[in-house]
Amino acid sequence: MSPIFSGKEEIQLFISGGTIDKDYDAVLGELIFPATHIPELLSEANSTLPITVDVLMQKDSLQMDQNDREKISQACQDSACAKIVITHGTDTMVETALCLLANPDLVDKTIVLTGAMRPYKLGKSDAAFNLGAALMAVQTAQAGVFICMNGHLFRADQVQKNRSAGLFESR
């Protein structure tokens, strides 16, 4: 039996850092970015999707500024892919999504931002679930900019992070 939907179009996956890619350094006693864990996540999921993975930066989103957002926007604009997933820190994910939404050169692309509330490497993380959901969402959603977290797909201009509940919700 064949799948109801089987993505054939290439997906661009941009990595910008965030909790999803952090790991604990026992010597320093802090969370660090040793390298991206996204290829490992894709391998564990046995993904057969045509995905190109590129690391744009490895930053905590609280350390991102407008130049970083413009770099992400330009990378999306320069990508030949119409379907783009971006891993990103959750604290300023909405700000980056709104920056992408404001770029008129991206109106024909489907862009989905996702991340994790807990680092993948620390276990009991939402990283794999959110990445898988984002990959499905980018294949099925219409053109636009979205945030995919907690099993929900939100339009970039209709979402907020509820810090006290530790999740994203419509605004």
Side-chain angles (χ1 to χ4, degrees):
M1 178 179 223
S2 6
I4 294 172
F5 178 81
S6 179
K8 302 280 189 228
E9 188 176 349
E10 184 176 6
I11 299 168
Q12 174 72 62
L13 201 161
F14 287 128
I15 295 162
S16 70
T19 298
I20 194 169
D21 258 339
K22 287 186 175 180
D23 199 356
Y24 182 72
D25 183 315
V27 175
L28 297 174
E30 59 188 44
L31 293 172
I32 61 165
F33 291 107
T36 183
H37 308 301
I38 301 306
E40 182 180 344
L41 273 163
L42 294 170
S43 177
E44 283 181 5
N46 199 27
S47 174
T48 59
L49 293 170
I51 300 173
T52 299
V53 178
D54 288 306
V55 177
L56 299 178
M57 63 194 76
Q58 290 270 260
K59 278 190 156 184
D60 183 298
S61 70
L62 290 172
Q63 304 304 314
M64 284 186 172
D65 58 24
Q66 191 58 30
N67 289 331
D68 297 316
R69 288 184 179 82
E70 288 172 14
K71 180 177 180 177
I72 293 169
S73 182
Q74 188 64 53
C76 290
Q77 188 174 322
D78 293 345
S79 176
C81 296
K83 299 181 180 308
I84 300 170
V85 171
I86 302 167
T87 60
H88 195 287
T90 61
D91 285 317
T92 65
M93 187 183 288
V94 173
E95 288 90 332
T96 299
L98 291 173
C99 176
L100 297 171
L101 189 61
N103 183 337
D105 294 319
L106 299 177
V107 295
D108 293 330
K109 296 192 179 202
T110 305
I111 301 172
V112 178
L113 289 86
T114 195
M117 297 294 194
R118 180 174 166 86
Y120 161 70
K121 282 299 195 177
L122 295 187
K124 296 185 180 180
S125 174
D126 55 339
F129 179 77
N130 289 336
L131 181 60
L135 287 168
M136 180 56 76
V138 80
Q139 295 175 80
T140 58
Q142 61 190 325
V145 180
F146 303 89
I147 288 178
C148 185
M149 292 290 293
N150 318 115
H152 297 278
L153 185 64
F154 302 97
R155 292 191 173 285
D157 59 349
Q158 298 174 1
V159 64
Q160 63 187 7
K161 181 177 179 181
N162 180 331
R163 293 185 197 291
S164 60
L167 52 79
F168 283 76
E169 60 191 13
S170 296
R171 64 172 151 137

